Each structure stands twice: as C-alpha cells, then as structure tokens.
Amino acid sequence: MYDTKQQWFKDAKYGLFMHWGLYALLAGEYKGEKTDRIAEWIMNYLNIPVEEYRKLAKEFNPQNFDADEIVRRAKEDWGMKYLVFTSKHHEGFAMFKSETTPYNSVDASPCHRDFVKELADACHKYDMKFGLYYSQAQDWDDPDGFMQTKENSHKNFQRYLDEKCKPQLREILTQYGEIALLWFDTPMGITKQQTQELIDLVKSLQPNCIISGRAGNHMGDYMTTGDNFIPRLPYEGDWEVPATLNDTWGFNKYDHNWKKADDIIRLLLKINSRGGNYLLNIGPDADGNVPKESIEILNEVGKYVKENAEAIYGTKRVALYHYELEWAQFTSKDYKLFVHVLQPRMRVEVINIANQVKRAYIVRDGRELEFTVGKVCEGDGYIEVELPEDMQEQKNYAVCIEMEEKEPIFEEIQ
C-alpha cells in the first residue's frame, strides 16, 4: 500500500495540473497537418525534426501569462490545494533558467522568463503546495533521451541521466524553495537502479518532497493511475488521477470536446469517495492565456467545492456501497457520511445503513434537517432525510449524516 507520509497530500483531494511548453505554439497543427492525438506530443507523432522544433523557442513570448492570477484563481476560486507544473516535458525544453542547457525559456526565448520561479513565488504567496512535473526518461531533444514509438536501443541513456536529467533536477530542487511534489512521467526503459538514483537525489535535496507513481518500477510514493482512468473500487493508500478538461493536455485549438462542470463534479466526488486525489489539467495557449472554457468549468466546479469543503477536503475512502445511485455520490469522515445530491430530490433515502444516526444537516449553510431511521420491509436499515422545499428542485449540494459509530457505515445486503 502506498503511503506518502504527508498529511497535506492525503487531505488535499483536488489539485491543478498545468501543461505548458513550446507545443502551445503549434496548438495541434504543424505545416498544415493536424495531430489527432494529444497536442503536447506533436513533435513525436508528426516526426518534427529537432532542428525545426527548436525554432519554436525563438517565437515563445507569452505576454499574457500571469502566474499570480492563475494561482490565485486555483486557490480562491477553484478550491484546489496543490499545483503541478511541467518544468520540462518530453519535448526537452526547460521552462526555467537552466545552466545545464541553453535550451530554456530564459536563454532561448525572447521573453527571457523563468516560469517555474514565477509559479513558485505565486504558490508560496498564496500558501499553495507547489509541485513540478519533470520528464525523466523521454527527452526528444536530447540524442540519448528515450522517445516513444522510436528505436532507443542505440542510446546511452545513462549519459542523458547524468548530464541533463540529474543536473536539471538539482536545479529545480534547489532554486525555488519548497517543492512539495515531483511528478515523474513515462519511465519507459529506465532500470530499477536508475529510478533509485533519481529518488535518492530528490530525497537528499528535499526529504519531504513526494514522488509520483510514474517514477518507474513501482517505486514512487503514491499510485498514479492512467490518464483519466479511475479505479473501479475503493483503493487503499495514497493515489491520484491525472485528468483533462477536454481530450488533450497541451493547448489544441481544434479540441472543443469540453467536459461539463456537472461531470467534473461527479468525477471529483467519485475519486474522493474511492480514496484518491483529482489532479485536473489546464493548458494555456502560446500567449499564456488559460482557455476561457477551462475557466468557466473550473469556476462552476470551484463554487461547489468551496460550498461543500467539509465534505471534500480530508475525507476518507468510503466502504463499498452495494447499490449504484445515479443521483448521489458519497464521501466520508470519521462518524460522518456525506451524501452529495447531484440531481433534484424531494428527500435523501439511503438503505442498508448500519449506524445509529445523530443528526443531519446541509453542509453549505449548516441547516438542520429532519430525518427518520428504521427498517424497510425486507428488514434492512434505512435513513430518510427530508429536504426543505427550496432545495427540492436544486442539484449539487451535500447533506451530512452524523453517525454514532465510526464503523461500519453500510450493512451487508441480506
């Protein structure tokens, strides 16, 4: 079972991922050819030569990027507890000042900006946990970095680790204050020994920095699921679902398949109820603007999260409930079951409740609710919570049911 030993991560439940790099300039298209896959992989999928791709750095001047505003929104409007930013994605371009290579946002671009520093400063200002994504195995710019879909057997991968990866990790872990999380990705052919070398380096510089499950060889501090994949059942230990608002991570001007805010709320609650964190992505465009659709969705989700904070942050894995409820999701804390009402209802009805109930109330305003407990005709326990008239046509709020006992919550089906 994975254990980060970091209470902040266990309690956070909701974080912001940010994929941003030179690929934002292409926005899903190169020389008239569109990629039908994730936009940040365009260099790989469309076989763009290194010398051609590097020219993008000379065009990268995102005058509208405002780290302070993004972090403020994430914390105050969207209800997120941590942020993870792509310091170097597979394209090999560093979004920070690197002495390891001039191929970075300060030295190779007309903006001359260190985006890791800007975001680190903003996160520290707003008391937001700051994490960095770093592609430890794939580097399509480095001749010895791995590249998915290409032949890698001739490469001296250890040279890449020693001469680029490790020096850059040392830079990002020593120049920007506390780094709460290091998000490694796509380990590919990295060996167990090489993974251990990276882990040892991270922990030697920042002992409390937790490492994602994609470090390689099942050696991270927590389990990272597949992109947009949610465990079917409650899962013990610390884990996280990285996910998108549309179909891509990096900005793609052709991807308009935006999820609805209601769907994001349901996914967040489903992940939280099964014990995990939801790391939800934005992909700024080449000018540094966060897509307006992303902002609109996250504003609506954030309203729900802030109003129902008690029922989200610090919640724990809910015991497996035997019934599928289209209108609700559960989260829980010791002695409390939160019923998230996602469709209009006259009352909240839950059967197979094993606990004695003390009280019920609306989470967002503390309003006390009348409830009835008893046995259904089949002999199973139930609770009915009467909803006030003004809420019977509403959706997206949480009802807290306080319990006498801590465990169990649900009875076995007879």
Side-chain angles (χ1 to χ4, degrees), residues 164-347:
K164 184 174 184 181
C165 177
K166 291 178 185 177
Q168 286 194 329
L169 286 174
R170 186 174 293 277
E171 289 171 341
I172 62 177
L173 290 167
T174 58
Q175 297 177 4
Y176 304 103
E178 179 188 4
I179 305 299
L181 187 153
L182 207 298
W183 219 97
F184 287 129
D185 194 21
T186 63
M188 294 186 62
I190 195 169
T191 67
K192 186 173 183 179
Q193 178 180 339
Q194 290 167 334
T195 299
Q196 190 64 57
E197 291 174 11
L198 298 185
I199 291 174
D200 290 345
L201 175 61
V202 173
K203 298 296 186 180
S204 71
L205 298 172
Q206 298 228 24
N208 293 326
C209 180
I210 61 177
I211 296 172
S212 75
R214 296 187 187 176
N217 301 290
H218 307 286
M219 294 170 67
D221 291 321
Y222 65 90
M223 191 265 282
T224 307
T225 71
D227 296 351
N228 293 295
F229 277 79
I230 300 173
R232 185 173 179 83
L233 300 174
Y235 191 88
E236 288 192 58
D238 294 340
W239 56 277
E240 175 188 73
V241 176
T244 54
L245 283 167
N246 52 358
D247 291 333
T248 190
W249 301 86
F251 179 73
N252 186 335
K253 61 187 175 184
Y254 298 107
D255 184 356
H256 305 296
N257 190 27
W258 299 100
K259 298 179 177 70
K260 296 178 181 178
D262 280 1
D263 294 332
I264 295 295
I265 291 170
R266 181 180 291 276
L267 289 168
L268 169 66
L269 297 172
K270 185 179 289 188
I271 291 164
N272 293 168
S273 73
R274 295 175 187 180
N277 289 1
Y278 194 24
L279 185 63
L280 192 56
N281 183 72
I282 57 172
D285 65 18
D287 292 325
N289 303 299
V290 178
K292 64 178 180 62
E293 294 89 349
S294 296
I295 294 173
E296 290 168 358
I297 296 166
L298 293 175
N299 282 346
E300 190 171 341
V301 176
K303 181 176 184 295
Y304 183 87
V305 170
K306 291 185 297 177
E307 288 181 345
N308 298 281
E310 180 192 0
I312 294 174
Y313 307 127
T315 54
K316 300 181 179 180
R317 180 174 58 94
V318 181
L320 183 64
Y321 189 52
H322 306 287
Y323 299 104
E324 184 75 21
L325 301 181
E326 290 295 323
W327 58 271
Q329 289 287 334
F330 297 130
T331 56
S332 73
K333 292 179 177 176
D334 291 349
Y335 305 102
K336 293 182 179 182
L337 175 69
F338 300 100
V339 183
H340 297 262
V341 181
L342 305 180
Q343 296 175 6
R345 303 281 296 176
M346 292 186 65
R347 62 184 57 86

